[in-house]
């Protein structure tokens, strides 16, 4: 049992650090959730990809460095410590790509992954519907068979990044006659600019169009954009959800860096007693999250799968993130009300954490039923 | 990086669990609380045979050399079974004796600690845990009445007011020594207590008030306390995690069989979510503990102590709530774990002391 990194891993870390030092913008980019900021973040993705830093754990064939999970953890520590921009490609990279690696065809990987890695194609997710939130399997958007593909009709909502993204992925009902709601669903990718798609941006709490509603009216999707077998979408999506909730949606590096910044802020403000415990707890929580992730990564690298334990992870980081950013705003005093600080942006972003990727209520149900073995009951 | 237990470590944990499950610890704990140490001594000896105390004793003195990871694993099991006695103090005392410049005390005392023939306690403050039954009573306290600021603290109201007794600061089983006092500290082999134990919220933790002036055989005027106090913190944290794990297990079992409104109460979401939160808190404490055992840095150990004790205490509150009134009785065995979760929170490093350590950590902190 050890926490040591190999010489190669440390060399990789040093290389990442030195690249980031030379390339991270000195002036923060405009908010990712605005048209101008989205474009600036897309350009940053291209700059990362140019030197193969956008997807370090992917195979080199698709633009990665074969750095593995450990390399990814080290890169993320350096990335966030360097104060580098948010990742506009995150939805594709952490949700769709793992699904393609597990369930896609070689043709799909070769076609979809390189432009995802460079930011040329930015992906949005299309899971929720007006009547299907936590009970996702009750979704009603449908895909009807047509010559050479499918015609999508229905409505998706709370689609993160969709206001400015290029393509989306989600579940559609291809067989309405199945016995159970999670049967007869198919996992599809589609173009947000295709005929029949209407994107209506939704302003989040601070007014920025961070997500959108999608209205789909007989949108054609070719067969080549179906992932896995038609009708197997639920199983495939749940493996994505496992990834999403699992190791790679939120890296420890993100919170280690945020906690250090909070400590700096606290000290700058004269180390006030009223936030002392919360600042200490933020530092400790970041370390706990790092070591928890290292333990999970070690199990994963040892051949174990990350199953319902990923729900522990999701509840932890989402609540941690809110506590940390709330503390920062409290420390800012009067300035804490100001909407154009980096802390305000982080705070508003953090508020969504317990809601997306499976609400924390659903995660707690999973922990209780699948890890503790408690009986199923009415939600 | 391979942050995983190896098969030997898993086997060690499993064998301790089996040993302790067979030992019927609730009976041992209740006897111990009444001052009957027979069962506890017998269990102590079986734990020593399993190698638990040898993990803190150097090889020349019949030990296995200091093994913080294995000690942490052992103390999680000791906590899971709520084993009574000065377990933490014995480990800290062994490390302290091993670190003295003069090898005399180590030669004389350590082999019996490793073999379980002797039990040690250690105090740095106002109480010595289980000093009546300990064979080796180490006192690492200031030679003179404590710092004026500390002496000004009012005496704990329920403490017996002995002639030569004064409050001696937030140390001993209540917490680790404040920084910067090591020079002024003397290490004594203290005589047996001549007063009855002070009642503790955890009846199995028998607290003996220390005397105003340290007495007994003076071992050194500069005891090397850093590692012993770190280990005391680490093993207390491990014990707390174990206590929390059992509180969770017992409560999960209870809510599965307790029926109200025609359904097991464990099927209600309000119940499930409290237990899920306890599970999350405990699962995030575990890697901090093992990480602290590997690095043994002040920051990591303090982080582990605070997190494990907070998780265990939170689980205790949930366990009490979900058991309802039966959990509030002394007769029901749950109480043995509930009270320990509270006591360990302030032992060998209060939440406040742990947060201070983390905030004052250098760069890199971790």
């Amino acid at each position: 049992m050890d926490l040591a990194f190999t010489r190669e891993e440390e060399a990789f870390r040093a290389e990442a650090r030195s690249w980031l030092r030379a390339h991270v913008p000195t002036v923060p980019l405009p908010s990712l959730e605005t048209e101008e900021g989205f474009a600036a973040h897309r350009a940053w993705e291209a700059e990362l990809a140019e030197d193969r830093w956008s997807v370090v754990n992917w195979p080199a064939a698709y633009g990665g460095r074969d750095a593995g999970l450990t390399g990814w953890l080290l890169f993320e520590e350096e990335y966030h410590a360097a104060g580098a921009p948010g990742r506009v490609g995150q939805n594709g990279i952490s949700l769709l790509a793992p699904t393609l690696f597990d369930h896609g065809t070689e043709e799909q990987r070769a076609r979809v992954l390189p432009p995802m890695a460079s930011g040329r194609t930015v992906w949005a997710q299309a899971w929720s519907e007006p009547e299907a939130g936590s009970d996702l399997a009750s979704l009603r958007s449908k895909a009807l068979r047509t010559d050479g593909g499918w015609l999508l009709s229905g409505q998706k909502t709370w689609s993160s990044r969709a206001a400015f993204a290029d393509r989306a992925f989600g579940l559609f009902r291809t067989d309405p006659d199945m016995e159970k709601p999670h049967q007869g669903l198919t996992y599809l990718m589609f173009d947000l600019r295709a005929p029949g798609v209407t994107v209506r941006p939704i302003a989040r709490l601070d007014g920025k169009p961070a997500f959108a509603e999608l209205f789909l009216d007989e949108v054609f999707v070719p067969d080549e954009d179906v992932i896995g077998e038609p009708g197997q979408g639920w199983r495939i999506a749940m493996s994505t959800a496992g990834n999403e909730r699992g190791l790679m949606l939120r890296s420890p590096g993100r919170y280690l860096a945020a906690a250090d910044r909070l400590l700096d802020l606290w000290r700058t403000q004269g180390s006030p007693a009223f936030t002392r415990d919360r600042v200490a707890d933020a530092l400790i929580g970041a370390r706990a999250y790092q070591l928890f992730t290292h333990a999970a990564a070690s199990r994963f690298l040892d051949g174990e799968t990350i199953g319902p334990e990923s729900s522990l992870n999701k509840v932890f980081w989402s609540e941690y993130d809110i506590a940390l950013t709330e503390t920062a705003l409290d420390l800012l005093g009067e300035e804490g009300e100001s909407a154009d600080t980096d802390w305000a942006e982080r705070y508003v972003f953090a508020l969504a954490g317990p809601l997306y990727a499976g609400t924390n209520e659903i995660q707690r149900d999973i922990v209780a039923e699948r890890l503790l073995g408690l009986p199923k009951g009415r939600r | 990086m391979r942050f995983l237990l190896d098969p030997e470590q898993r086997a060690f944990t499993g064998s301790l669990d089996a040993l302790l499950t067979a030992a019927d610890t609730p009976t041992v704990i209740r006897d111990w609380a009444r001052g009957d140490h027979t069962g506890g001594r017998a269990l102590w000896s079986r734990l020593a045979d399993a190698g638990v105390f040898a993990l803190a004793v150097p090889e020349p003195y019949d030990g296995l050399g200091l093994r913080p990871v294995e000690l942490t694993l052992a103390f999680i099991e000791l906590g899971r079974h709520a084993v009574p006695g000065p377990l933490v103090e014995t480990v800290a005392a062994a490390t302290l004796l091993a670190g003295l410049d003069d090898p005399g005390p180590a030669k004389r005392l350590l082999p019996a600690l490793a073999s379980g023939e002797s039990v040690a306690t250690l105090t740095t403050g106002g109480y010595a845990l289980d000093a009546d039954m300990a064979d080796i009573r180490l006192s690492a306290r200031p030679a003179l009445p404590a710092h004026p600021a500390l002496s000004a603290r009012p005496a704990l109201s329920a403490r017996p007011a002995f002639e030569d007794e004064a409050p001696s600061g937030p140390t001993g089983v209540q917490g680790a020594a404040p920084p910067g006092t090591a020079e002024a500290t003397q290490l004594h082999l203290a005589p047996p207590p001549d007063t009855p134990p002070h009642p503790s919220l955890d009846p199995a933790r028998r607290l003996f008030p220390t005397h105003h002036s340290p007495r007994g055989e003076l071992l050194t005027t500069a005891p090397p306390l850093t590692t012993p106090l770190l280990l005391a913190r680490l093993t207390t944290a491990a014990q707390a995690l174990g206590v929390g794990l059992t509180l969770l297990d017992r409560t999960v079992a209870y809510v599965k069989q307790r029926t109200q409104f025609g359904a097991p109460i464990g099927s209600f979401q309000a119940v499930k979510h409290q237990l899920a939160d306890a599970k999350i808190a405990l699962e995030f404490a575990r890697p901090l503990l093992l990480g602290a055992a590997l690095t043994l840095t002040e920051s990591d150990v303090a982080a582990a102590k605070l997190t494990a004790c907070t998780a265990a205490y939170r689980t205790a509150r949930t366990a009490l709530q979900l058991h309802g009134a039966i959990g509030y009785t002394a007769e029901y065995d749950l109480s043995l774990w509930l009270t320990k979760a509270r006591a360990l929170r302030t032992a060998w490093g209060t939440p406040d002391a742990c947060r201070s350590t983390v905030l004052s950590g250098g760069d890199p902190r971790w």
Side-chain angles (χ1 to χ4, degrees), chain A residues 154-278:
Chain A
Q155 187 183 347
K156 295 283 181 181
T157 192
W158 318 132
S159 180
S160 301
R161 304 289 111 73
F164 309 111
D166 307 298
R167 288 173 67 77
F169 53 91
L171 287 179
F172 291 83
R173 194 164 296 284
T174 44
D175 187 346
D177 300 324
M178 302 302 286
E179 209 170 293
K180 294 187 173 157
H182 61 268
Q183 296 170 336
L185 300 175
T186 297
Y187 199 128
L188 292 158
M189 301 181 278
F190 59 99
D191 194 332
L192 284 169
R193 304 204 177 92
V197 179
T198 306
V199 177
R200 192 182 75 82
I202 303 173
R204 71 174 181 191
L205 213 48
D206 66 353
K208 292 178 185 134
F211 44 14
E213 273 181 302
L214 309 177
F215 299 91
L216 307 166
D217 182 14
E218 300 200 329
V219 178
F220 178 73
V221 172
D223 282 329
E224 64 189 37
D225 282 345
V226 173
I227 302 177
E229 291 298 312
Q232 294 300 306
W234 184 259
R235 187 179 58 82
I236 295 168
M238 285 306 103
S239 79
T240 306
N243 275 306
E244 181 177 11
R245 287 194 296 265
L247 286 180
M248 300 188 68
L249 188 60
R250 292 288 177 268
S251 69
R254 182 188 187 100
Y255 301 118
L256 288 164
D260 277 343
R261 271 184 205 112
L262 180 69
L263 178 65
D264 286 345
L265 174 65
W266 182 66
R267 287 185 173 149
T268 307
Q269 305 286 67
S271 307
F274 82 103
T275 45
R276 172 187 173 273
D277 287 6
R278 290 152 70 191

Side-chain angles (χ1 to χ4, degrees), chain A residues 1-2 4 263 267 276 281 283-284 287 291-292 298-299 302 316 361 364-365 369 372-373 375, chain B residues 1-4 252 255-256 269 272-273 277 284 287-288 294 300 306-307 352 355-356 359 365-366:
Chain A
M1 173 168 212
D2 71 82
L263 178 65
R267 287 185 173 149
R276 172 187 173 273
D281 292 351
L283 291 167
I284 293 169
R287 178 62 163 168
L291 291 173
F292 181 92
S298 297
R299 286 201 308 277
D302 207 43
F316 185 89
E361 284 71 26
R364 287 187 171 96
D365 281 352
E369 290 168 13
L372 299 177
Chain B
M1 180 192 61
R2 198 183 145 77
F3 193 38
L4 273 182
V252 165
V255 301
K256 281 182 190 170
Q269 216 173 21
K272 280 181 181 169
H273 288 193
D277 282 334
F284 274 85
L288 266 182
L294 283 172
D300 269 334
L306 178 72
T307 307
D352 189 62
R355 288 192 175 102
S356 288
L359 284 169
R365 171 171 292 94
W366 309 118

Side-chain angles (χ1 to χ4, degrees), chain B residues 94-158:
Chain B
T95 320
L96 179 52
L97 290 169
L100 298 179
D101 288 338
D102 172 10
K107 253 183 222 160
R108 177 154 55 103
L109 303 169
L110 283 182
L113 279 185
S115 72
E117 284 158 59
S118 289
V119 171
T121 192
L122 168 69
T123 178
T124 58
Y127 295 112
L129 184 68
D130 295 314
D132 60 334
M133 62 75 65
D135 310 287
I136 300 166
R137 293 162 300 274
L138 293 181
S139 159
R141 297 167 59 221
L144 293 168
H147 193 273
L150 298 174
S151 300
R153 285 166 76 247
L156 294 169
S157 58

